Amino acid sequence: MELDMDPLILTDSVRYTHLFSVALGIGASFLADSLVLTNLTRPVEQSLLDRLHHYHRLVWLALIAMWISGAAMVYIRTGFVLENFSPKLYSKLAVVSMLTLNALLIGRFAMPVVRRNLGRTLLDMPMRRKLPFAWIAAVSSTSWLIALAMGESKVLAASGWSVFVYLVPLAYLGSLLIASLVTVSLHLRGAGMSTIAAAE
């Protein structure tokens, strides 16, 4: 017996899956970031590492679901014909690729850095490790927010290349600049506190 599915139901199901995966990724990513921020001044414990690994696995699950559901949506809307690809679609592919690369960096760089600081605070890290750590977090947060905006904004859906060529790079540059300034500020503040403590 053949089952006929309404194309609109199929499209909505794929779109819902895609949006849910974005929501899952954003939630896991921001929970991980907030966990790190609230533990900056505390010695790193194994429990912190375990929770970060759990959130990282959720992010990967979300990314896999995003790629699969996203590919299905692209096929439904374009048939994989490049002439049917919009500037928004190309930008979404770039942002999700950035998220995937960033997730790899988190697993290969950020998590080992946290692990090496067991028993010490993350603020004790040298600047050469703090800055890349902060940049990875900034790229992650910015990418998830851009992905959410592209999925829901009707203005972006109707925008041409001129909007995306400037909007996406500026969003990343702005977040990297803010992350750098905050990291340098915290580093200098920590160095100042250490100097005062040593003098006393």
Side-chain angles (χ1 to χ4, degrees):
M1 184 175 85
E2 293 186 3
L3 294 175
D4 293 327
M5 180 176 286
D6 189 325
L8 288 178
I9 294 177
L10 176 60
T11 301
D12 279 352
S13 299
V14 173
R15 186 171 183 271
Y16 177 80
T17 301
H18 192 68
L19 291 175
F20 179 79
S21 61
V22 173
L24 175 63
I26 289 177
S29 177
F30 277 85
L31 282 173
D33 289 344
S34 64
L35 184 62
V36 170
L37 288 173
T38 55
N39 285 274
L40 281 178
T41 59
R42 302 172 186 171
V44 175
E45 298 178 350
Q46 185 61 44
S47 59
L48 174 63
L49 272 172
D50 293 340
R51 290 176 68 185
L52 289 176
H53 276 297
H54 174 69
Y55 293 141
H56 190 51
R57 285 192 292 268
L58 287 178
V59 167
W60 270 117
L61 178 63
L63 284 170
I64 292 170
M66 282 176 66
W67 277 112
I68 294 173
S69 59
M73 287 177 63
V74 170
Y75 176 74
I76 290 171
R77 295 177 179 176
T78 71
F80 292 138
V81 177
L82 293 181
E83 288 78 5
N84 295 331
F85 281 33
S86 65
K88 173 189 168 184
L89 178 54
Y90 279 113
S91 299
K92 285 181 72 173
L93 289 171
V95 169
V96 178
S97 296
M98 181 72 76
L99 278 169
T100 306
L101 175 60
N102 202 64
L104 287 171
L105 287 175
I106 290 173
R108 296 291 180 88
F109 173 80
M111 295 300 294
V113 164
V114 176
R115 187 180 300 109
R116 281 196 293 268
N117 276 270
L118 277 170
R120 295 175 295 172
T121 72
L122 293 175
L123 288 179
D124 291 333
M125 291 190 299
M127 181 62 77
R128 68 178 184 276
R129 287 184 182 168
K130 282 180 183 173
L131 276 176
F133 196 82
W135 292 337
I136 287 173
V139 168
S140 174
S141 298
T142 303
S143 297
W144 284 113
L145 291 175
I146 293 175
L148 179 63
M150 286 183 177
E152 289 301 308
S153 175
K154 300 301 181 184
V155 174
L156 291 178
S159 297
W161 278 113
S162 59
V163 172
F164 294 102
V165 165
Y166 293 104
L167 177 65
V168 175
L170 283 175
Y172 281 115
L173 286 174
S175 66
L176 290 173
L177 177 60
I178 292 172
S180 298
L181 291 174
V182 171
T183 301
V184 171
S185 175
L186 288 173
H187 183 78
L188 293 176
R189 181 181 177 184
M193 295 293 288
S194 298
T195 301
I196 293 172
E200 292 176 349

